[in-house]
mmCIF file of all heavy atoms in Angstrom:
data_model
loop_
_atom_site.group_PDB
_atom_site.id
_atom_site.type_symbol
_atom_site.label_atom_id
_atom_site.label_comp_id
_atom_site.label_asym_id
_atom_site.label_seq_id
_atom_site.Cartn_x
_atom_site.Cartn_y
_atom_site.Cartn_z
ATOM 1 N N GLY U 16 112.378 188.209 24.060
ATOM 2 C CA GLY U 16 111.133 187.646 24.564
ATOM 3 C C GLY U 16 111.258 186.996 25.930
ATOM 4 O O GLY U 16 110.323 186.393 26.416
ATOM 5 N N PHE U 17 112.399 187.098 26.584
ATOM 6 C CA PHE U 17 112.573 186.513 27.916
ATOM 7 C C PHE U 17 112.479 187.624 28.950
ATOM 8 O O PHE U 17 113.463 188.173 29.397
ATOM 9 C CB PHE U 17 113.935 185.829 28.038
ATOM 10 C CG PHE U 17 114.065 184.625 27.176
ATOM 11 C CD1 PHE U 17 114.860 184.649 26.058
ATOM 12 C CD2 PHE U 17 113.370 183.469 27.487
ATOM 13 C CE1 PHE U 17 114.976 183.535 25.249
ATOM 14 C CE2 PHE U 17 113.487 182.346 26.687
ATOM 15 C CZ PHE U 17 114.294 182.378 25.567
ATOM 16 N N LEU U 18 111.264 187.950 29.297
ATOM 17 C CA LEU U 18 111.104 189.096 30.186
ATOM 18 C C LEU U 18 111.108 188.678 31.643
ATOM 19 O O LEU U 18 110.108 188.239 32.163
ATOM 20 C CB LEU U 18 109.799 189.800 29.862
ATOM 21 C CG LEU U 18 109.915 190.784 28.711
ATOM 22 C CD1 LEU U 18 108.555 191.333 28.360
ATOM 23 C CD2 LEU U 18 110.837 191.916 29.060
ATOM 24 N N ASP U 19 112.249 188.771 32.293
ATOM 25 C CA ASP U 19 112.248 188.542 33.734
ATOM 26 C C ASP U 19 112.523 189.871 34.432
ATOM 27 O O ASP U 19 113.157 189.960 35.454
ATOM 28 C CB ASP U 19 113.293 187.487 34.132
ATOM 29 C CG ASP U 19 114.694 187.954 33.808
ATOM 30 O OD1 ASP U 19 114.813 188.978 33.100
ATOM 31 O OD2 ASP U 19 115.651 187.323 34.264
ATOM 32 N N VAL U 20 112.031 190.932 33.801
ATOM 33 C CA VAL U 20 112.269 192.271 34.301
ATOM 34 C C VAL U 20 111.260 192.582 35.411
ATOM 35 O O VAL U 20 110.087 192.271 35.285
ATOM 36 C CB VAL U 20 112.075 193.270 33.142
ATOM 37 C CG1 VAL U 20 112.241 194.687 33.632
ATOM 38 C CG2 VAL U 20 113.041 192.964 32.030
ATOM 39 N N ASP U 21 111.763 193.165 36.502
ATOM 40 C CA ASP U 21 110.853 193.538 37.580
ATOM 41 C C ASP U 21 110.157 194.847 37.224
ATOM 42 O O ASP U 21 110.805 195.841 36.948
ATOM 43 C CB ASP U 21 111.639 193.751 38.883
ATOM 44 C CG ASP U 21 112.313 192.461 39.307
ATOM 45 O OD1 ASP U 21 111.710 191.405 39.067
ATOM 46 O OD2 ASP U 21 113.431 192.531 39.848
ATOM 47 N N ILE U 22 108.859 194.813 37.272
ATOM 48 C CA ILE U 22 108.103 196.041 37.065
ATOM 49 C C ILE U 22 107.522 196.434 38.415
ATOM 50 O O ILE U 22 107.010 195.573 39.137
ATOM 51 C CB ILE U 22 106.978 195.830 36.034
ATOM 52 C CG1 ILE U 22 107.586 195.503 34.658
ATOM 53 C CG2 ILE U 22 106.093 197.061 35.934
ATOM 54 C CD1 ILE U 22 106.575 195.328 33.557
ATOM 55 N N ASP U 23 107.628 197.703 38.735
ATOM 56 C CA ASP U 23 107.064 198.210 39.982
ATOM 57 C C ASP U 23 105.599 197.763 40.077
ATOM 58 O O ASP U 23 104.790 198.090 39.207
ATOM 59 C CB ASP U 23 107.169 199.741 39.959
ATOM 60 C CG ASP U 23 106.681 200.378 41.248
ATOM 61 O OD1 ASP U 23 105.987 199.693 42.017
ATOM 62 O OD2 ASP U 23 106.992 201.558 41.461
ATOM 63 N N VAL U 24 105.273 197.013 41.135
ATOM 64 C CA VAL U 24 103.914 196.462 41.240
ATOM 65 C C VAL U 24 102.860 197.552 41.406
ATOM 66 O O VAL U 24 101.672 197.317 41.177
ATOM 67 C CB VAL U 24 103.779 195.442 42.407
ATOM 68 C CG1 VAL U 24 104.504 194.159 42.095
ATOM 69 C CG2 VAL U 24 104.232 196.042 43.727
ATOM 70 N N ASN U 25 103.309 198.747 41.821
ATOM 71 C CA ASN U 25 102.340 199.835 42.003
ATOM 72 C C ASN U 25 102.048 200.589 40.704
ATOM 73 O O ASN U 25 101.198 201.478 40.672
ATOM 74 C CB ASN U 25 102.850 200.837 43.049
ATOM 75 C CG ASN U 25 102.972 200.172 44.403
ATOM 76 O OD1 ASN U 25 102.055 199.474 44.817
ATOM 77 N ND2 ASN U 25 104.105 200.357 45.058
ATOM 78 N N LEU U 26 102.800 200.236 39.664
ATOM 79 C CA LEU U 26 102.613 200.936 38.395
ATOM 80 C C LEU U 26 101.255 200.560 37.802
ATOM 81 O O LEU U 26 100.917 199.376 37.719
ATOM 82 C CB LEU U 26 103.727 200.473 37.442
ATOM 83 C CG LEU U 26 104.184 201.423 36.344
ATOM 84 C CD1 LEU U 26 104.675 202.742 36.921
ATOM 85 C CD2 LEU U 26 105.283 200.756 35.531
ATOM 86 N N ASP U 27 100.484 201.579 37.410
ATOM 87 C CA ASP U 27 99.195 201.315 36.766
ATOM 88 C C ASP U 27 99.483 201.134 35.268
ATOM 89 O O ASP U 27 99.635 202.108 34.531
ATOM 90 C CB ASP U 27 98.255 202.503 37.025
ATOM 91 C CG ASP U 27 96.913 202.317 36.341
ATOM 92 O OD1 ASP U 27 96.789 201.422 35.480
ATOM 93 O OD2 ASP U 27 95.993 203.076 36.675
ATOM 94 N N LEU U 28 99.569 199.888 34.853
ATOM 95 C CA LEU U 28 99.982 199.620 33.470
ATOM 96 C C LEU U 28 98.983 200.164 32.452
ATOM 97 O O LEU U 28 99.372 200.614 31.373
ATOM 98 C CB LEU U 28 100.179 198.118 33.266
ATOM 99 C CG LEU U 28 101.388 197.517 33.992
ATOM 100 C CD1 LEU U 28 101.467 196.025 33.735
ATOM 101 C CD2 LEU U 28 102.686 198.174 33.565
ATOM 102 N N PHE U 29 97.712 200.136 32.800
ATOM 103 C CA PHE U 29 96.707 200.672 31.867
ATOM 104 C C PHE U 29 96.962 202.169 31.636
ATOM 105 O O PHE U 29 96.977 202.637 30.502
ATOM 106 C CB PHE U 29 95.290 200.458 32.418
ATOM 107 C CG PHE U 29 94.874 199.013 32.416
ATOM 108 C CD1 PHE U 29 95.062 198.225 33.541
ATOM 109 C CD2 PHE U 29 94.315 198.439 31.282
ATOM 110 C CE1 PHE U 29 94.690 196.891 33.544
ATOM 111 C CE2 PHE U 29 93.937 197.102 31.271
ATOM 112 C CZ PHE U 29 94.126 196.323 32.402
ATOM 113 N N ALA U 30 97.196 202.896 32.748
ATOM 114 C CA ALA U 30 97.440 204.344 32.638
ATOM 115 C C ALA U 30 98.762 204.608 31.917
ATOM 116 O O ALA U 30 98.867 205.522 31.092
ATOM 117 C CB ALA U 30 97.455 204.971 34.034
ATOM 118 N N GLU U 31 99.782 203.800 32.221
ATOM 119 C CA GLU U 31 101.095 203.981 31.580
ATOM 120 C C GLU U 31 101.007 203.751 30.070
ATOM 121 O O GLU U 31 101.609 204.480 29.283
ATOM 122 C CB GLU U 31 102.117 203.004 32.190
ATOM 123 C CG GLU U 31 102.577 203.386 33.579
ATOM 124 C CD GLU U 31 103.344 204.710 33.575
ATOM 125 O OE1 GLU U 31 104.368 204.807 32.895
ATOM 126 O OE2 GLU U 31 102.895 205.651 34.261
ATOM 127 N N ILE U 32 100.270 202.715 29.681
ATOM 128 C CA ILE U 32 100.131 202.434 28.245
ATOM 129 C C ILE U 32 99.390 203.578 27.549
ATOM 130 O O ILE U 32 99.776 204.015 26.464
ATOM 131 C CB ILE U 32 99.445 201.060 28.035
ATOM 132 C CG1 ILE U 32 100.424 199.949 28.438
ATOM 133 C CG2 ILE U 32 98.988 200.871 26.591
ATOM 134 C CD1 ILE U 32 99.842 198.552 28.548
ATOM 135 N N GLU U 33 98.366 204.110 28.215
ATOM 136 C CA GLU U 33 97.645 205.260 27.636
ATOM 137 C C GLU U 33 98.592 206.461 27.495
ATOM 138 O O GLU U 33 98.572 207.158 26.492
ATOM 139 C CB GLU U 33 96.430 205.640 28.492
ATOM 140 C CG GLU U 33 95.292 204.636 28.458
ATOM 141 C CD GLU U 33 94.768 204.331 27.053
ATOM 142 O OE1 GLU U 33 94.826 205.213 26.174
ATOM 143 O OE2 GLU U 33 94.327 203.181 26.842
ATOM 144 N N ARG U 34 99.419 206.682 28.519
ATOM 145 C CA ARG U 34 100.378 207.797 28.466
ATOM 146 C C ARG U 34 101.338 207.612 27.288
ATOM 147 O O ARG U 34 101.574 208.535 26.500
ATOM 148 C CB ARG U 34 101.175 207.849 29.789
ATOM 149 C CG ARG U 34 102.335 208.852 29.790
ATOM 150 C CD ARG U 34 103.144 208.817 31.070
ATOM 151 N NE ARG U 34 103.886 207.590 31.294
ATOM 152 C CZ ARG U 34 105.041 207.272 30.695
ATOM 153 N NH1 ARG U 34 105.577 208.099 29.816
ATOM 154 N NH2 ARG U 34 105.648 206.131 30.968
ATOM 155 N N LEU U 35 101.860 206.399 27.145
ATOM 156 C CA LEU U 35 102.822 206.130 26.068
ATOM 157 C C LEU U 35 102.178 206.274 24.685
ATOM 158 O O LEU U 35 102.816 206.731 23.739
ATOM 159 C CB LEU U 35 103.423 204.729 26.238
ATOM 160 C CG LEU U 35 104.397 204.603 27.414
ATOM 161 C CD1 LEU U 35 104.682 203.135 27.723
ATOM 162 C CD2 LEU U 35 105.693 205.349 27.132
ATOM 163 N N LYS U 36 100.930 205.883 24.582
ATOM 164 C CA LYS U 36 100.235 206.030 23.295
ATOM 165 C C LYS U 36 100.227 207.500 22.886
ATOM 166 O O LYS U 36 100.509 207.834 21.739
ATOM 167 C CB LYS U 36 98.778 205.574 23.442
ATOM 168 C CG LYS U 36 98.541 204.104 23.336
ATOM 169 C CD LYS U 36 97.020 203.913 23.234
ATOM 170 C CE LYS U 36 96.555 202.649 23.854
ATOM 171 N NZ LYS U 36 95.096 202.542 23.947
ATOM 172 N N LYS U 37 99.900 208.370 23.853
ATOM 173 C CA LYS U 37 99.807 209.816 23.541
ATOM 174 C C LYS U 37 101.186 210.384 23.263
ATOM 175 O O LYS U 37 101.397 211.063 22.266
ATOM 176 C CB LYS U 37 99.161 210.567 24.715
ATOM 177 C CG LYS U 37 97.678 210.319 24.801
ATOM 178 C CD LYS U 37 97.006 211.369 25.691
ATOM 179 C CE LYS U 37 95.571 210.951 25.977
ATOM 180 N NZ LYS U 37 95.433 210.029 27.114
ATOM 181 N N GLU U 38 102.130 210.094 24.154
ATOM 182 C CA GLU U 38 103.481 210.664 24.016
ATOM 183 C C GLU U 38 104.145 210.260 22.708
ATOM 184 O O GLU U 38 104.892 211.018 22.118
ATOM 185 C CB GLU U 38 104.360 210.160 25.162
ATOM 186 C CG GLU U 38 104.213 210.978 26.422
ATOM 187 C CD GLU U 38 105.080 210.440 27.548
ATOM 188 O OE1 GLU U 38 106.094 209.751 27.304
ATOM 189 O OE2 GLU U 38 104.701 210.709 28.687
ATOM 190 N N LYS U 39 103.904 209.032 22.284
ATOM 191 C CA LYS U 39 104.634 208.503 21.120
ATOM 192 C C LYS U 39 103.775 208.418 19.864
ATOM 193 O O LYS U 39 104.229 207.880 18.857
ATOM 194 C CB LYS U 39 105.183 207.113 21.458
ATOM 195 C CG LYS U 39 106.112 207.137 22.667
ATOM 196 C CD LYS U 39 106.865 205.843 22.843
ATOM 197 C CE LYS U 39 107.795 205.966 24.039
ATOM 198 N NZ LYS U 39 108.925 205.086 23.994
ATOM 199 N N ASN U 40 102.567 208.922 19.919
ATOM 200 C CA ASN U 40 101.621 208.776 18.806
ATOM 201 C C ASN U 40 101.598 207.317 18.342
ATOM 202 O O ASN U 40 101.875 207.000 17.180
ATOM 203 C CB ASN U 40 101.971 209.725 17.641
ATOM 204 C CG ASN U 40 100.884 209.728 16.578
ATOM 205 O OD1 ASN U 40 99.719 209.439 16.873
ATOM 206 N ND2 ASN U 40 101.260 210.009 15.340
ATOM 207 N N ALA U 41 101.290 206.455 19.293
ATOM 208 C CA ALA U 41 101.272 205.009 19.011
ATOM 209 C C ALA U 41 99.843 204.483 19.060
ATOM 210 O O ALA U 41 98.992 205.022 19.771
ATOM 211 C CB ALA U 41 102.116 204.278 20.054
ATOM 212 N N ILE U 42 99.605 203.442 18.286
ATOM 213 C CA ILE U 42 98.294 202.792 18.300
ATOM 214 C C ILE U 42 98.511 201.326 18.671
ATOM 215 O O ILE U 42 99.496 200.716 18.234
ATOM 216 C CB ILE U 42 97.600 202.937 16.913
ATOM 217 C CG1 ILE U 42 96.196 202.358 16.933
ATOM 218 C CG2 ILE U 42 98.388 202.266 15.808
ATOM 219 C CD1 ILE U 42 95.402 202.653 15.675
ATOM 220 N N VAL U 43 97.604 200.791 19.491
ATOM 221 C CA VAL U 43 97.713 199.374 19.869
ATOM 222 C C VAL U 43 96.624 198.598 19.131
ATOM 223 O O VAL U 43 95.430 198.874 19.285
ATOM 224 C CB VAL U 43 97.559 199.182 21.396
ATOM 225 C CG1 VAL U 43 97.575 197.697 21.754
ATOM 226 C CG2 VAL U 43 98.668 199.919 22.149
ATOM 227 N N LEU U 44 97.058 197.668 18.287
ATOM 228 C CA LEU U 44 96.124 196.785 17.583
ATOM 229 C C LEU U 44 96.193 195.415 18.248
ATOM 230 O O LEU U 44 97.283 194.872 18.428
ATOM 231 C CB LEU U 44 96.524 196.639 16.101
ATOM 232 C CG LEU U 44 96.705 197.926 15.288
ATOM 233 C CD1 LEU U 44 97.073 197.582 13.848
ATOM 234 C CD2 LEU U 44 95.441 198.768 15.317
ATOM 235 N N ALA U 45 95.041 194.868 18.612
ATOM 236 C CA ALA U 45 95.061 193.564 19.302
ATOM 237 C C ALA U 45 94.169 192.557 18.594
ATOM 238 O O ALA U 45 93.055 192.881 18.174
ATOM 239 C CB ALA U 45 94.595 193.727 20.746
ATOM 240 N N HIS U 46 94.673 191.345 18.490
ATOM 241 C CA HIS U 46 93.869 190.264 17.929
ATOM 242 C C HIS U 46 92.904 189.764 18.996
ATOM 243 O O HIS U 46 93.175 189.862 20.194
ATOM 244 C CB HIS U 46 94.784 189.123 17.451
ATOM 245 C CG HIS U 46 94.062 188.121 16.612
ATOM 246 N ND1 HIS U 46 93.426 187.034 17.167
ATOM 247 C CD2 HIS U 46 93.855 188.049 15.274
ATOM 248 C CE1 HIS U 46 92.859 186.320 16.187
ATOM 249 N NE2 HIS U 46 93.110 186.919 15.031
ATOM 250 N N TYR U 47 91.772 189.217 18.531
ATOM 251 C CA TYR U 47 90.757 188.681 19.456
ATOM 252 C C TYR U 47 91.302 187.593 20.379
ATOM 253 O O TYR U 47 90.697 187.286 21.388
ATOM 254 C CB TYR U 47 89.621 188.050 18.658
ATOM 255 C CG TYR U 47 88.658 189.024 18.025
ATOM 256 C CD1 TYR U 47 88.341 188.922 16.673
ATOM 257 C CD2 TYR U 47 88.031 190.010 18.774
ATOM 258 C CE1 TYR U 47 87.420 189.780 16.083
ATOM 259 C CE2 TYR U 47 87.118 190.881 18.194
ATOM 260 C CZ TYR U 47 86.822 190.750 16.847
ATOM 261 O OH TYR U 47 85.905 191.607 16.282
#
Side-chain angles (χ1 to χ4, degrees):
F17 293 108
L18 276 174
D19 63 349
V20 177
D21 298 325
I22 296 182
D23 183 343
V24 289
N25 296 314
L26 207 58
D27 178 347
L28 290 179
F29 290 93
E31 286 296 301
I32 289 169
E33 290 304 330
R34 172 183 67 78
L35 288 166
K36 277 191 212 171
K37 286 197 191 85
E38 276 179 23
K39 301 191 178 205
N40 188 25
I42 184 171
V43 176
L44 306 181
H46 192 271
Y47 284 129

